[in-house]
Amino acid sequence: MKPIQVGLLGIGVVGTGTFNVLQRNQAEIQRRAGRGIEITMVADLDTARAQAAVGPNVKVVNDARAVIANPDIDIVIELIGGYGIAKQLVLEAIAAGKHVVTANKALLAVHGTEIFAAASAKGVMVAFEAAVAGGIPIIKALREGLTANRVQWIAGIINGTTNFILSEMRDKGLDFDVVLKEAQRLGYAEADPTFDIEGVDAAHKATIMSAIAFGIPVQFDKAHVEGITKLGAADIKYAEQLGYRIKLLGITKRTAGGIELRVHPTLIPAKRLIANVEGAMNAVVVQGDAVGTTLYYGKGAGSEPTASAVIADLVDITRLHTADAAQRVPHLAFQPDAMSDTPILPMDQVVTSYYLRLRVADEAGVLAKVTGILAEAGISIDAVLQREADEVSGEDGTQTDVIILTHDCVEAKMNAAMAQMQALPTVLAPITRIRKEELA
Amino acid sequence: MKPIQVGLLGIGVVGTGTFNVLQRNQAEIQRRAGRGIEITMVADLDTARAQAAVGPNVKVVNDARAVIANPDIDIVIELIGGYGIAKQLVLEAIAAGKHVVTANKALLAVHGTEIFAAASAKGVMVAFEAAVAGGIPIIKALREGLTANRVQWIAGIINGTTNFILSEMRDKGLDFDVVLKEAQRLGYAEADPTFDIEGVDAAHKATIMSAIAFGIPVQFDKAHVEGITKLGAADIKYAEQLGYRIKLLGITKRTAGGIELRVHPTLIPAKRLIANVEGAMNAVVVQGDAVGTTLYYGKGAGSEPTASAVIADLVDITRLHTADAAQRVPHLAFQPDAMSDTPILPMDQVVTSYYLRLRVADEAGVLAKVTGILAEAGISIDAVLQREADEVSGEDGTQTDVIILTHDCVEAKMNAAMAQMQALPTVLAPITRIRKEELA
């Protein structure tokens, strides 16, 4: 049988990895897929670099539309990224009857509903394993491996840059700014790291997971997004003393009131497996009602790990494109006519527990005032850690840190209590609030 | 569309779980699969118990062949277990044109080649996600999620009973026999635990993983199988002091000389994620050339976790049974005409590193003799731990333990050196040898 012909739009790090792995493991992939899979055409603005990457036998053009218009191309891989031209090209490829593979989490988290609808109408597949957690086959696990389950919640370390930074902060006791510079020097963080460190990239991925876990549309605009830029080395140290690690988690959870969708630094018990995921690695915990807790771990980024996911999608499409379209794996795991309209829960209605750190004047009665406010709000305290004044740097013993772990309460109540505490004259700096999850 | 109709052979713990989860999550599963999936007929020798489990609306018979003969049944689930009647019934179901879902690892590890050939000839699917690692979708990850990769090795904690026992031995410093009794009392070990504690169950699962990772036939008879019955609390303690944990691993690895396929207790660095998998949980590490290291973790047994895997297979068959048979997911991940005949490497040709514990007379020159034998054999030593005589129980200071970690050497060479050491008059008990893997 004639090989499946693939056109590649954008040949950067992941595109080059995809081309190389397809070449290197050609025989093995064909033995699995039952059919050869070949990249026969590449579009990139830098045609010279592209031609150098793929060698003389692959047609290189600078116009992506020439790939889409090529009637021999069965599948188009979109590796351009972003919402702009990438969206246009994906929609054009679908309109031309091409199946699409993309690693573009931003595009799908924001415009997925429109794109998947277009694909379903045209009877083609848009596959996106590479969009979440790189080489870890988490989309497949959620969409196919766990189909028996009502998913209860998902919590994932789904941004390698921030996990690298947090691991280094803990290992070396350094503050965020110092470690960020080191991460940039080592290539773990980009020159403009905003999307990573502010939690936006993780929120794109969490949005996609929420949709396929719960059968709801992608709703990135409803996600609560909070990064790691305000974390201090002190918080990581205090968390450790209390038996916790701080990780940037993407969380989505089914509750009676709606679906939670949130990205923020989170205290998790140090003994949990996911708390021990270090460096740039990713891991996702999925809790299902039948299967219980499962965890998936691996490299969340990089050339060949991401290529691994892109190629798995190529093989899946090779297999499924002849199947009854009504029974292929649905884009968002649930059939398009069986989606749910369960709302995303506003953040102030989310119930969780909290770590609070208050820089206070080291004088009598401060703790009583603070805990009095919490008691009055009906927020119960799980643990308190008051540092000796001399352990707190800088202020000659006139200031100290009070750390409070609370039991579960609704976020709105905590916001109100925090405003009251912040207004106390003995609270000397903005209160640090980190949410806590037991993941049990 | 009419629901897919499923017949169930054998309704014990997993069968009941499968029925219950299918009922409970009926709507959610149909929203995913695009079609209802219903167990409409059950065969079990104990028809009264079976009828009680499924209620009055499901037909219960005591003759499995009545299920197979029912023309309305699309898929047969085999949950009888063992090699005997189960094999016969699976082959008859295939002959009758039914797709089959089975959790029977023993059957597939021994008779898989015959069964898959029969299924391919008849154009039906035999799905077996539940046969390895319970609810963890590891078959799907290997067969579909990692299709881009040349798999390099797999190492898994794939028997919950032995992992529970080893975790308890380490936590409580107890010996094997004591913990086994406790595990039996708690239901983590069966009354006859032989298959678990001797490594046979893990070897069945490792055999299946070796086939789908490397595209070779199932060859259980060539697996090296070694259980945990000879491990003492002392070994676990010494391993800990050296920075390792002892786990019963199923390992399969691609080497220049052939495929390694082995189950044995293994020292692994305590800092590896898989070293921290405790209790009855399972985890599998897969190393691929493109993706790098990935890990999959979850419940490896139990009613609903196993049902989760069985139902995922039902959904997959619902999706794929209309696809071109030549491009469905092949039973053993590789197309039947593209299997490899790479041989399984005999154990004495396997290269690994070792932990040795020698109970020796506490007198001068013993260590020199032992290390001299290793040096002469060309086996280099990584670390030595000699206990003070008073730390070793029992023998009034006249005996002591010498623990040696070696670098890599071929097993045949180690066997010869061990025979020489064992013959020394100062070596007072059978030498304990545990293989060591860095899993890096």
Side-chain angles (χ1 to χ4, degrees):
Chain A
M1 203 184 303
K2 171 165 100 48
I4 287 272
Q5 295 199 28
V6 180
L8 175 56
L9 311 185
I11 183 156
V13 171
V14 174
T16 304
T18 301
F19 183 81
N20 290 342
V21 173
L22 264 180
Q23 285 271 310
R24 186 173 75 226
N25 293 346
Q26 198 169 24
E28 190 124 347
I29 293 166
Q30 177 161 358
R31 287 172 58 208
R32 290 190 173 106
R35 197 166 165 187
I37 298 174
E38 289 175 11
I39 292 177
T40 55
M41 195 170 178
V42 172
D44 199 289
L45 293 180
D46 187 341
T47 51
R49 193 197 54 180
Q51 196 76 65
V54 299
N57 297 326
V58 176
K59 189 171 171 64
V60 171
V61 295
N62 68 4
D63 177 12
R65 292 188 167 94
V67 174
I68 293 170
N70 182 340
D72 292 335
I73 296 290
D74 302 298
I75 305 175
V76 170
I77 305 178
E78 182 274 304
L79 295 175
I80 296 167
Y83 315 111
I85 183 69
K87 181 188 174 194
Q88 204 47 48
L89 292 173
V90 165
L91 288 172
E92 288 179 26
I94 290 167
K98 310 297 186 192
H99 302 288
V100 174
V101 174
T102 178
N104 192 334
K105 57 221 77 163
L107 176 62
L108 296 179
V110 176
H111 300 292
T113 301
E114 179 183 352
I115 288 167
F116 298 136
S120 297
K122 192 75 189 177
V124 298
M125 287 173 271
V126 175
F128 53 92
E129 183 62 79
V132 181
I136 307 172
I138 183 65
I139 299 294
K140 185 168 278 284
L142 280 170
R143 227 169 34 167
E144 304 175 42
L146 303 176
T147 40
N149 292 267
R150 266 177 81 84
V151 175
Q152 294 160 322
W153 52 262
I154 298 173
I157 296 172
I158 45 182
N159 180 273
T161 302
T162 45
N163 203 53
F164 175 82
I165 292 173
L166 293 175
S167 298
E168 289 286 295
M169 287 174 71
R170 183 172 81 87
D171 275 4
K172 301 183 177 160
L174 296 172
D175 269 318
F176 172 77
D177 296 335
V178 181
V179 177
L180 173 60
K181 285 206 182 69
E182 173 75 358
Q184 286 174 315
R185 202 181 58 78
L186 292 170
Y188 286 114
E190 297 187 47
D192 177 0
T194 314
F195 262 37
D196 292 317
I197 63 178
E198 295 294 0
V200 177
D201 175 74
H204 285 146
K205 295 165 182 168
T207 297
I208 294 171
M209 291 199 291
S210 77
I212 63 179
F214 303 118
I216 57 173
V218 288
Q219 293 164 76
F220 173 69
D221 57 328
K222 305 239 177 81
H224 173 85
V225 187
E226 196 178 313
I228 63 168
T229 55
K230 286 176 202 140
L231 283 179
D235 296 312
I236 290 174
K237 188 185 68 182
Y238 294 142
E240 199 83 7
Q241 289 168 3
L242 291 159
Y244 292 86
R245 299 264 166 85
I246 299 178
K247 295 289 185 187
L248 183 70
L249 293 187
I251 296 172
T252 185
K253 189 185 286 188
R254 189 198 297 265
T255 72
I259 306 287
E260 297 179 9
L261 175 56
R262 48 194 170 102
V263 170
H264 51 67
T266 316
L267 266 76
I268 50 180
K271 66 184 175 203
R272 296 275 177 271
L273 215 53
I274 193 172
N276 296 285
V277 170
E278 300 292 353
M281 301 302 285
N282 281 16
V284 179
V285 178
V286 182
Q287 181 81 17
D289 69 338
V291 77
T293 304
T294 59
L295 176 144
Y296 309 83
Y297 164 90
K299 288 188 178 138
S303 174
E304 293 206 353
T306 311
S308 174
V310 168
I311 295 169
D313 279 346
L314 295 177
V315 174
D316 271 359
I317 291 174
T318 301
R319 282 180 178 143
L320 276 171
H321 78 290
T322 60
D324 184 352
Q327 274 154 32
R328 288 179 194 154
V329 182
H331 290 112
L332 291 177
F334 293 78
Q335 301 292 330
D337 61 359
M339 298 287 283
S340 155
D341 59 359
T342 310
I344 303 290
L345 201 66
M347 193 61 201
D348 66 359
Q349 294 176 36
V350 166
V351 172
T352 181
S353 56
Y354 297 88
Y355 161 105
L356 303 175
R357 175 168 59 85
L358 295 85
R359 171 60 58 97
V360 297
D362 188 26
E363 55 185 61
V366 175
L367 188 60
K369 276 206 184 104
V370 165
T371 55
I373 290 171
L374 290 170
E376 205 167 303
I379 298 170
S380 68
I381 292 172
D382 182 32
V384 173
L385 187 68
Q386 176 153 11
R387 308 313 302 167
E388 295 297 317
D390 61 7
E391 293 183 39
V392 177
S393 60
E395 305 291 334
D396 302 326
T398 60
Q399 301 187 3
T400 188
D401 276 344
V402 172
I403 293 94
I404 298 172
L405 297 185
T406 76
H407 288 295
D408 277 353
C409 79
V410 69
E411 180 112 348
K413 198 182 269 186
M414 175 55 74
N415 290 343
M418 279 177 67
Q420 280 187 276
M421 292 188 284
Q422 193 70 70
L424 292 174
T426 46
V427 172
L428 305 173
I431 299 170
T432 298
R433 172 252 302 272
I434 308 175
R435 296 170 192 88
K436 182 165 84 64
E437 294 286 340
E438 291 297 318
L439 302 183
Chain B
M1 203 184 304
K2 169 166 101 53
I4 288 273
Q5 295 201 28
V6 180
L8 176 57
L9 311 185
I11 184 157
V13 171
V14 174
T16 304
T18 302
F19 184 82
N20 290 342
V21 173
L22 264 180
Q23 286 271 311
R24 187 174 73 226
N25 293 347
Q26 198 167 27
E28 190 124 347
I29 293 166
Q30 176 161 358
R31 286 173 58 208
R32 290 190 173 106
R35 196 166 165 187
I37 298 174
E38 289 177 9
I39 292 177
T40 54
M41 195 170 178
V42 173
D44 199 289
L45 293 179
D46 187 341
T47 51
R49 195 198 52 181
Q51 196 76 67
V54 299
N57 297 326
V58 176
K59 189 170 170 67
V60 171
V61 295
N62 68 4
D63 177 12
R65 291 186 167 97
V67 174
I68 293 170
N70 182 340
D72 292 335
I73 296 289
D74 303 296
I75 306 174
V76 170
I77 305 177
E78 182 274 303
L79 295 174
I80 297 166
Y83 314 111
I85 184 68
K87 181 188 174 193
Q88 206 45 51
L89 292 172
V90 164
L91 288 172
E92 289 179 26
I94 291 167
K98 311 296 188 194
H99 302 289
V100 174
V101 174
T102 178
N104 192 334
K105 57 222 77 164
L107 177 61
L108 295 179
V110 176
H111 299 292
T113 302
E114 179 183 351
I115 289 166
F116 298 137
S120 296
K122 192 73 189 178
V124 298
M125 287 172 270
V126 175
F128 52 94
E129 183 62 80
V132 180
I136 308 172
I138 183 65
I139 299 295
K140 184 168 279 285
L142 280 169
R143 226 167 35 166
E144 304 175 42
L146 303 176
T147 41
N149 292 268
R150 266 175 80 84
V151 175
Q152 294 159 322
W153 53 262
I154 298 172
I157 296 172
I158 46 182
N159 180 272
T161 303
T162 46
N163 202 54
F164 175 82
I165 292 173
L166 292 175
S167 298
E168 289 287 296
M169 287 173 71
R170 183 172 82 87
D171 274 5
K172 301 182 178 161
L174 297 172
D175 269 318
F176 173 78
D177 296 335
V178 181
V179 177
L180 173 60
K181 284 204 182 72
E182 174 75 357
Q184 286 174 315
R185 201 180 58 76
L186 292 171
Y188 286 113
E190 298 188 44
D192 177 359
T194 314
F195 262 36
D196 292 318
I197 63 178
E198 296 294 357
V200 177
D201 175 74
H204 285 145
K205 296 165 181 166
T207 298
I208 294 171
M209 290 199 291
S210 76
I212 62 178
F214 303 118
I216 56 172
V218 288
Q219 294 166 74
F220 173 68
D221 57 329
K222 305 241 175 80
H224 172 85
V225 186
E226 197 178 314
I228 63 167
T229 56
K230 286 173 202 144
L231 284 179
D235 296 311
I236 290 173
K237 190 186 66 184
Y238 293 143
E240 199 83 6
Q241 289 168 1
L242 292 159
Y244 292 86
R245 298 266 164 86
I246 299 178
K247 295 290 186 186
L248 183 71
L249 292 187
I251 296 172
T252 185
K253 190 185 285 188
R254 190 198 297 265
T255 71
I259 305 288
E260 297 180 9
L261 176 55
R262 48 194 170 101
V263 170
H264 50 69
T266 315
L267 266 77
I268 51 180
K271 66 184 173 202
R272 296 274 178 272
L273 214 53
I274 193 172
N276 295 287
V277 170
E278 300 292 351
M281 301 303 283
N282 279 200
V284 179
V285 178
V286 182
Q287 181 81 15
D289 69 336
V291 76
T293 304
T294 59
L295 177 144
Y296 310 83
Y297 164 91
K299 287 187 179 142
S303 174
E304 294 207 354
T306 311
S308 174
V310 169
I311 295 169
D313 279 345
L314 295 176
V315 174
D316 272 358
I317 291 174
T318 301
R319 280 178 181 146
L320 277 171
H321 79 290
T322 60
D324 184 351
Q327 275 154 31
R328 287 178 193 155
V329 183
H331 291 113
L332 291 177
F334 293 78
Q335 300 291 331
D337 62 358
M339 299 288 282
S340 155
D341 59 359
T342 310
I344 303 290
L345 201 66
M347 193 62 200
D348 65 359
Q349 294 176 34
V350 166
V351 172
T352 181
S353 56
Y354 297 88
Y355 160 104
L356 303 175
R357 176 168 57 87
L358 294 86
R359 171 60 58 97
V360 296
D362 188 26
E363 56 185 59
V366 176
L367 188 59
K369 277 206 184 104
V370 165
T371 54
I373 289 172
L374 290 170
E376 206 167 301
I379 298 170
S380 68
I381 292 173
D382 180 33
V384 173
L385 187 67
Q386 176 154 12
R387 307 314 301 166
E388 295 298 317
D390 60 8
E391 292 183 36
V392 177
S393 60
E395 305 292 333
D396 302 326
T398 60
Q399 302 187 1
T400 189
D401 276 345
V402 172
I403 294 94
I404 299 172
L405 297 186
T406 75
H407 288 295
D408 277 354
C409 79
V410 69
E411 180 111 349
K413 198 182 269 187
M414 176 55 75
N415 291 342
M418 279 177 67
Q420 279 187 275
M421 292 188 283
Q422 193 70 71
L424 292 174
T426 45
V427 172
L428 305 173
I431 298 170
T432 298
R433 172 251 303 271
I434 308 175
R435 297 171 191 86
K436 182 165 84 65
E437 295 284 341
E438 292 297 319
L439 303 183

